[in-house]
Amino acid sequence: MGAKDVEIGIIGAGDMGMLYAKRFRKAGYVVNLCDTPEKYDELLEKHGGQGISILRDGYAVSRRSDIIIYSVPAVIINKAVAEYGRATKMGAIVAGQTSVKTPEVLAFEKHLPEDVHIVTCHSMHGPNIDTKGQPLAVIRYRSDDAHYQLAVKVLGALESRMIFLTYEEHDRLTADTQAATHLAFISLGTAWSLQGYHPWLNPQFISGINNVKVAMALRIYASKWHVYAGLAIMNPLARKQLQCYVVSMTTLYKYMIAGKCAEFRDLVYRSADFIFGKDRSHKKILLDDDVLEQLSLSRVSKSQSKPNSHLSLLCAAVCWYKMNMSPYDSLVCQTPPFRMWLGIVEYLFCSQELLEESIETALTDRYTQSEDLVFYTAVTGWGQCIELGSFEGYQERFEATAEFLRPKLEEGKDLSTMILKKLTNA
């Protein structure tokens, strides 16, 4: 079956759905696209005449397409497949683009006809990143060889680096790379919002690895809330990571305010030795000073910068240590935020001078301890929201913080993209 013989259907015309539609059309495939019925006229006006067939709903897409990709939020995947799955063309291949595969596979099992093949996928990046060279999880769940090979061939149009996994392996890797990473970044944003200051104006966040923290937090808050809520709440393997990060944060902060300096140092250095080894001075790092200092949102002079405890990064290392997990094992399925996160944690722990400054600031600086109290509160608040499984609460918290950070969201997204390019080419 050649490219002209395959019709690809995409249900969901959000950012990722449009990215896929354009890439497949560019490769010569017939692409059928829909969003919710009430958005049909708007979608037709905006994208009609671009070589993509705009259809009214998922029924129309499912009836005529040879490969159907559900590009919808994880929170509504079951509803979408329940509504449109029965219209799936006989012998078609069905995939999903959600970041959590367990509920997606369950929805496919429950609502798709038995004569349908299931080869699902997940591009491990956002819509503002070129698919070329980025990790793409490919999951063969229910398919004969011929249809599986066809799915792989079609997905090859994305020019991504394919990683072949089971859906259980996928959810474990995404939990390892995304759960605590996202919790840290969204908590930083919430802490800044609660204190009423923008980080690019605060001397504690204007240089070095703080540039990356700020840029990546802004990148996340420039995205849609459901992207992160689905992973945190619906991935059955993410809860353990999230709980560990909250517990690690609680332990470190209690040591700080109780004056348990020896216990604090011991935990931090045990974590450092476990992850990075005892001799860290010659370890290759993912970020260098040139990258960190060239890219900044702040207009405050670097000479005015103040030490930072980097409690969010210390906590990340402690969390990995407590879970007996090496973050380097997860680079095979890395996302851009995780690569950045590991890069700045590594940068901190592989610089003895900076690590000591961080520890001393955490243990002795009363202003920093008051700042970290708000961060600790943000982490535990997000942890409780996720533990309760509250999508509504997650959305409200996320959008309130995003609104506070709005003046720099687009600039932060652009800056983080620049950092990612530097990182990729390093």
Side-chain angles (χ1 to χ4, degrees):
M1 186 179 286
K4 293 182 179 180
D5 301 317
V6 177
E7 294 195 24
I8 300 173
I10 299 174
I11 298 174
D15 295 337
M16 287 303 293
M18 288 307 308
L19 176 66
Y20 268 41
K22 290 175 181 178
R23 287 304 299 253
F24 289 133
R25 183 69 192 97
K26 184 179 179 182
Y29 292 102
V30 174
V31 177
N32 305 311
L33 176 69
C34 77
D35 208 285
T36 53
E38 61 269 20
K39 293 183 179 179
Y40 170 71
D41 291 334
E42 178 186 349
L43 191 63
L44 184 62
E45 181 180 351
K46 190 173 182 179
H47 298 288
Q50 297 181 13
I52 298 172
S53 298
I54 307 300
L55 303 182
R56 185 164 295 277
D57 55 31
Y59 292 110
V61 170
S62 296
R63 287 186 63 198
R64 64 177 295 168
S65 303
D66 302 294
I67 297 179
I68 300 140
I69 301 173
Y70 284 82
S71 187
V72 301
V75 65
I76 65 167
I77 185 66
N78 185 70
K79 179 182 177 182
V81 182
E83 187 168 2
Y84 302 127
R86 63 182 180 275
T88 305
K89 182 178 180 180
M90 183 181 293
I93 301 166
V94 175
Q97 235 289 69
T98 69
S99 59
V100 190
K101 293 305 175 190
T102 298
E104 180 184 286
V105 165
L106 290 174
F108 289 161
E109 277 277 11
K110 184 175 181 180
H111 302 297
L112 291 179
E114 292 184 0
D115 57 25
V116 168
H117 303 268
I118 302 171
V119 183
T120 192
C121 62
H122 179 208
S123 288
M124 308 289 287
H125 58 86
N128 298 305
I129 299 289
D130 188 354
T131 59
K132 187 174 182 178
Q134 294 296 326
L136 170 67
V138 179
I139 299 162
R140 179 180 185 175
Y141 182 72
R142 188 180 78 196
S143 175
D144 60 29
D145 290 343
H147 285 83
Y148 174 61
Q149 292 302 324
L150 175 60
V152 171
K153 176 185 175 183
V154 169
L155 290 171
L158 300 173
E159 299 183 274
S160 298
R161 176 171 54 85
M162 294 189 190
I163 304 162
F164 300 96
L165 303 167
T166 65
Y167 78 91
E168 296 97 339
E169 290 169 337
H170 169 275
D171 282 358
R172 179 180 59 79
L173 280 168
T174 53
D176 288 348
T177 58
Q178 297 182 40
T181 305
H182 295 163
L183 176 61
F185 282 128
I186 62 175
S187 296
L188 283 168
T190 297
W192 299 328
S193 175
L194 289 171
Q195 294 177 96
Y197 68 69
H198 292 117
W200 50 89
L201 300 176
N202 187 317
Q204 283 197 316
F205 292 97
I206 62 173
S207 64
I209 54 180
N210 292 301
N211 293 333
V212 181
K213 289 185 199 172
V214 173
M216 288 309 299
L218 292 175
R219 183 184 189 86
I220 287 174
Y221 278 108
S223 302
K224 294 182 171 64
W225 68 272
H226 64 75
V227 174
Y228 304 99
L231 168 73
I233 295 174
M234 298 183 73
N235 188 334
L237 302 176
R239 295 289 180 92
K240 186 177 179 182
Q241 273 264 3
L242 294 168
Q243 290 169 353
C244 185
Y245 191 86
V246 172
V247 170
S248 299
M249 173 63 62
T250 302
T251 301
L252 286 172
Y253 193 73
K254 288 176 72 174
Y255 284 162
M256 287 166 59
I257 61 174
K260 295 187 176 182
C261 301
E263 290 87 344
F264 186 97
R265 283 181 173 278
D266 178 64
L267 181 55
V268 168
Y269 274 102
R270 273 189 286 127
S271 303
D273 292 346
F274 171 76
I275 299 165
F276 304 107
K278 290 187 178 295
D279 182 10
R280 297 182 286 277
S281 59
H282 301 296
K283 187 173 182 64
K284 175 176 170 52
I285 60 175
L286 298 171
L287 290 166
D288 59 37
D289 293 319
D290 290 339
V291 172
L292 293 171
E293 298 304 338
Q294 285 176 16
L295 307 172
S296 175
L297 291 170
S298 179
R299 299 296 178 262
V300 181
S301 170
K302 182 185 173 184
S303 63
Q304 299 179 41
S305 66
K306 294 181 179 179
N308 191 310
S309 69
H310 300 298
L311 184 59
S312 60
L313 308 185
L314 299 179
C315 185
V318 171
C319 179
W320 290 329
Y321 167 63
K322 285 179 174 290
M323 293 196 69
N324 195 33
M325 181 189 117
S326 169
Y328 294 99
D329 292 341
S330 300
L331 284 175
V332 64
C333 214
Q334 64 182 286
T335 60
F338 179 73
R339 185 171 174 82
M340 298 279 269
W341 185 239
L342 177 55
I344 55 178
V345 175
E346 181 189 73
Y347 186 95
L348 171 64
F349 277 85
C350 293
S351 169
Q352 185 61 30
E353 181 180 355
L354 183 60
L355 181 58
E356 270 300 314
E357 178 186 87
S358 170
I359 293 171
E360 279 299 311
T361 303
L363 293 173
T364 63
D365 189 280
R366 300 296 289 176
Y367 173 78
T368 297
Q369 289 176 352
S370 67
E371 293 277 301
D372 285 340
L373 172 60
V374 184
F375 177 64
Y376 164 73
T377 303
V379 169
T380 54
W382 275 108
Q384 290 170 345
C385 175
I386 293 166
E387 186 66 27
L388 290 170
S390 174
F391 284 99
E392 183 178 304
Y394 196 107
Q395 181 179 5
E396 289 179 2
R397 291 173 65 93
F398 189 98
E399 291 180 344
T401 301
E403 183 60 32
F404 176 78
L405 297 171
R406 189 165 303 284
K408 289 281 189 178
L409 286 184
E410 288 304 314
E411 189 178 347
K413 185 168 66 175
D414 293 341
L415 176 62
S416 64
T417 299
M418 292 172 63
I419 297 174
L420 284 168
K421 288 180 178 177
K422 294 267 187 180
L423 203 60
T424 301
N425 297 327

